[in-house]
Amino acid sequence: MITVREIAGPNELEICRALRRTVFIEEQNVAEAEEWDGRDGDARHILVFVGDTPVGTARLRTVGTLGKIERVCVLAEARGSGAGRALMRFALDRMQADPDLTGAKLGAQTHAIPFYESFGFEAYGPEYDDAGIPHRDMQVHF
Ligand code: COA
């Protein structure tokens, strides 16, 4: 069964960071200095589990009146079974429940644009390089 929740404390932030290390640094070759950008302390972190096993994470920040969803990842061996979708649904539900937020934005790796479009996000602006990976900005209004 897939479940999603916010981390319970600093120990679980280390689980999030281990998942991000596996996906972004080891699989996608993102530089350590780019992955550890100093903003983890300003964010809420969420975990997705298959049974009792954490398989993915994301972090949520607020930028003005928009929620920003960052570092969305699911371990390769757990992909394609709905964990990523559950993670995004949870993040968006949390943000939509916040009366101060008018929408959400994210920087999407271009391969994942169709994934985010399925939640109503629309791409805008030019493609750009972030950590050696092509990205486009995307936004959804609540
Ligand atoms: N491109 C296009 N469609 C994708 C996709 C991709 N890269 N990844 C998932 N999808 C689709 C799936 O086919 C599925 O469609 P369906 O519901 O119609 O069957 C849907 O999106 C959700 O799939 P799900 O199984 O919930 O997603 P996942 O657990 O595989 O997680 C990612 C999706 C993007 C989080 C995962 O592929 C991942 O961690 N990739 C590596 C890190 C990464 O690129 N993160 C994005 C940073 S912007």
Side-chain angles (χ1 to χ4, degrees):
M1 193 183 64
I2 295 172
T3 53
V4 186
R5 62 170 172 78
E6 207 162 318
I7 61 168
N11 288 351
E12 290 195 334
L13 177 56
E14 292 314 311
I15 299 174
C16 300
R17 288 166 66 93
L19 291 163
R20 284 161 49 187
R21 173 174 293 284
T22 300
V23 174
F24 293 118
I25 296 175
E26 294 173 7
E27 178 186 343
Q28 296 194 324
N29 296 314
V30 171
E32 300 240 359
E34 303 209 50
E35 183 55 33
W36 315 126
D37 63 353
R39 290 182 169 146
D40 282 348
D42 306 331
R44 295 156 77 188
H45 299 266
I46 57 178
L47 279 168
V48 57
F49 297 82
V50 174
D52 292 333
T53 306
V55 298
T57 187
R59 89 181 177 188
L60 314 181
R61 293 193 301 124
T62 301
V63 180
T65 60
L66 294 176
K68 187 147 190 268
I69 306 176
E70 299 174 316
R71 306 302 200 265
V72 177
C73 67
V74 170
L75 293 175
E77 58 267 30
R79 287 178 201 153
S81 57
R85 185 169 291 287
L87 192 63
M88 282 298 297
R89 191 68 269 153
F90 182 93
L92 284 168
D93 286 349
R94 277 295 165 98
M95 290 176 166
Q96 270 174 309
D98 183 340
D100 294 332
L101 298 183
T102 58
K105 67 176 182 175
L106 52 82
Q109 295 186 17
T110 54
H111 72 86
I113 287 174
F115 172 64
Y116 296 121
E117 282 176 337
S118 72
F119 298 96
F121 282 86
E122 291 179 7
Y124 64 94
E127 188 173 302
Y128 60 91
D129 177 285
D130 185 12
I133 299 169
H135 281 73
R136 282 190 80 196
D137 288 333
M138 301 186 79
Q139 193 163 328
V140 64
H141 292 284
F142 297 152

